[in-house]
Amino acid sequence: MESMLRSLQPYFERIPSVERPKGHIPFKEKFAWTLGILILYFVLSNVPVFGLSPESIDIFQQYRAFFAGATGSIIALGIGPIVTASIILQLLVGAGVIKLDLTNPDDRAAYQDFQRFLVIVMIAIEALPQVLGGFLLPNPEVAQMLGVSLSTISFLIFFQLFIGGLLIVYMDEVVSKWGIGSGVSLFILAGISQSIITGLFNWVVPPNATMPPGIIPRWVWITQNYPMDQLLTADGLAFLL
């Protein structure tokens, strides 16, 4: 395994990566890079996957905040490929299947190059089954409008998810090398914070619903539409919660 890794390393080194800074980076510049990547992350989380049918199912929707992904967006995979690849590689090195001395600069460089390649592989592995398995469905109306087959739209969906996964990888590298902390931690924090804020303040009423999903707007709606004496009963308090 190690000899194969060594023989493939020249190819792994050709995978584009973010260059490390050559000198000290002032805190203001680190903060600017981190803030810029954070803004880009929120922008990408609101870019929908083109051609995706509304009937699609995200089997990991309830875990997207922890994966730092956004359902239906091009960064739906979030940090999943990065974390999975890192765990697999750590297990291989820890078990001695791949013998690398991470205190050695050459071995550490080989480890990082192989990890980058493995992340790219995991992006494809995590995106492809969702498309081929019928969870992420192509939109027939889009296919008809473009005059292409549904399989072509499915390929476009996979391609967009793949590109979104690559963007997360390089955004993580930018934060880790030029910003503050790590991109993985930043994206997890951003995803969870967004879920908390949305859960508290979302006032947009979903289709076929009467109340807004956010806790605070829901309470406001209930107090405006139900008498106070009814809300003070046990059933009313349970309804509020």
Side-chain angles (χ1 to χ4, degrees):
M1 186 74 176
E2 184 183 0
S3 59
M4 183 180 66
L5 177 61
R6 295 293 187 186
S7 62
L8 292 176
Q9 186 177 357
Y11 299 99
F12 297 154
E13 291 176 348
R14 296 180 182 179
I15 299 175
S17 63
V18 177
E19 185 180 358
R20 289 188 175 276
K22 296 180 180 179
H24 172 71
I25 305 177
F27 176 79
K28 290 184 178 180
E29 186 175 346
K30 287 186 176 182
F31 181 78
W33 278 109
T34 305
L35 181 61
I37 292 297
L38 184 61
I39 293 174
L40 180 59
Y41 168 81
F42 282 121
V43 170
L44 292 174
S45 67
N46 288 279
V47 177
V49 174
F50 176 76
L52 189 65
S53 171
E55 299 179 359
S56 298
I57 301 174
D58 185 1
I59 56 178
F60 301 110
Q61 182 173 1
Q62 57 182 337
Y63 306 110
R64 284 302 174 202
F66 299 100
F67 290 152
T71 299
S73 73
I74 63 173
I75 59 168
L77 299 180
I79 62 170
I82 300 176
V83 174
T84 306
S86 177
I87 292 174
I88 292 175
L89 192 54
Q90 287 178 18
L91 289 174
L92 292 175
V93 174
V97 178
I98 299 177
K99 297 181 180 179
L100 292 175
D101 180 10
L102 298 183
T103 60
N104 185 308
D106 293 335
D107 285 0
R108 188 165 60 248
Y111 179 93
Q112 294 173 348
D113 291 336
F114 182 58
Q115 183 178 24
R116 188 177 297 108
F117 167 76
L118 194 57
V119 169
I120 295 174
V121 172
M122 292 308 304
I123 292 173
I125 290 177
E126 293 188 15
L128 197 58
Q130 298 186 58
V131 177
L132 297 181
F135 296 104
L136 302 180
L137 300 172
N139 193 325
E141 297 180 358
V142 175
Q144 184 178 4
M145 180 182 64
L146 297 178
V148 297
S149 64
L150 290 177
S151 59
T152 301
I153 300 298
S154 295
F155 172 77
L156 289 176
I157 292 173
F158 167 77
F159 182 73
Q160 292 172 83
L161 292 176
F162 187 82
I163 294 299
L166 286 180
L167 289 174
I168 288 292
V169 171
Y170 288 111
M171 288 162 61
D172 169 56
E173 285 197 28
V174 170
V175 175
S176 301
K177 296 178 180 179
W178 293 84
I180 302 172
S182 70
V184 170
S185 302
L186 179 67
F187 300 148
I188 293 176
L189 177 62
I192 295 177
S193 300
Q194 186 178 28
S195 298
I196 293 175
I197 293 174
T198 301
L200 286 175
F201 301 105
N202 188 4
W203 65 87
V204 180
V205 181
N208 303 322
T210 57
M211 295 185 295
I215 294 177
I216 295 177
R218 184 190 305 170
W219 286 352
V220 173
W221 185 92
I222 291 174
T223 56
Q224 290 176 343
N225 291 272
Y226 287 87
M228 187 59 64
D229 56 347
Q230 182 179 353
L231 293 177
L232 294 177
T233 62
D235 292 339
L237 292 175
F239 184 63
L240 281 171
L241 300 175

